[in-house]
Amino acid sequence: PSPSPSRVEVLRSPAFWLLAAVASANSLLITGMVFHQTNVLGELGYSDARAAAMFLPQAIGAIAGGLAFGWASDRRARFLLPAAIALLLAATCLLGGMGTTTTSVFAYSIGLGICTGGGAAVNGALLPALFGLRNIGSVSGLLHVVSVVNSALGALAFSIGADLFGSYRDALTVFAVWPAALVVVATIWRPRIRQPA
């Protein structure tokens, strides 16, 4: 295979920052949705116990998302997977913000899990595919830092959003704009996989 890029070259790569942007949205929004799950579903009349029960479909979704996106990461269209994660994230936000039925709440919970498991699988597969293995530790470490920082902001962002927009569900609907914009960006500037020399 062709030589791995240096750390400086990785940090100058649009592909890395595209992955970081999707990981940022995924981390912040998922953390906010999970942290405030009883608030989001409480606005639909769910008790704390019923809202907590929705963690089970989230776990199922995370398993399914990890397996499905892991499988897809080994296929030729894997460069479209960041856009797919962003699209699922936007759809999940809209389901949480606009859905009112039991079916939509269940789909929201499953979607939240799929974004969790799928995002981890895509990052784990695309980083070495894009940048090789020479600096994979520091590259994945930097992406992890981006994810953790945004995850730490998730609960606060949702609290502020609920105050600004009137409810947690309204905030979720507005927050869907962020991953929706990333779908466009990740489709136009999709990462290119390194080719053998």
Side-chain angles (χ1 to χ4, degrees):
S2 57
S4 299
S6 68
R7 283 183 287 269
V8 172
E9 290 171 327
V10 169
L11 291 178
R12 290 176 179 167
S13 165
F16 175 81
W17 292 109
L18 174 62
L19 290 180
V22 174
S24 297
N26 215 21
S27 297
L28 189 146
L29 294 174
I30 286 173
T31 301
M33 286 185 268
V34 170
F35 189 89
H36 291 289
Q37 179 153 303
T38 55
N39 295 321
V40 171
L41 298 183
E43 292 177 357
L44 283 173
Y46 276 59
S47 66
D48 289 351
R50 282 186 72 196
M54 288 297 107
F55 283 112
L56 180 58
Q58 283 177 33
I60 294 169
I63 293 167
L67 292 173
F69 277 90
W71 175 86
S73 294
D74 293 331
R75 302 299 179 267
R76 293 187 62 170
R78 58 186 165 180
F79 57 83
L80 288 171
L81 293 181
I85 290 292
L87 180 62
L88 279 169
L89 186 58
T92 300
C93 289
L94 290 176
L95 274 171
M98 302 173 73
T100 57
T101 65
T102 301
T103 302
S104 64
V105 170
F106 189 80
Y108 163 74
S109 300
I110 289 280
L112 185 52
I114 291 174
C115 290
T116 303
V122 168
N123 289 340
L126 286 187
L127 282 178
L130 287 166
F131 305 116
L133 297 176
R134 186 177 70 178
N135 298 306
I136 194 63
S138 55
V139 171
S140 59
L142 181 58
L143 190 62
H144 184 66
V145 167
V146 170
S147 296
V148 169
V149 168
N150 281 276
S151 181
L153 297 172
L156 177 61
F158 267 68
S159 295
I160 295 172
D163 289 339
L164 283 176
F165 303 114
S167 73
Y168 286 96
R169 284 166 47 80
D170 288 340
L172 257 176
T173 303
V174 174
F175 287 156
V177 172
W178 182 13
L182 286 175
V183 173
V184 178
V185 174
T187 301
I188 294 173
W189 288 291
R190 53 189 180 269
R192 299 295 182 185
I193 304 301
R194 294 165 59 248
Q195 299 297 322

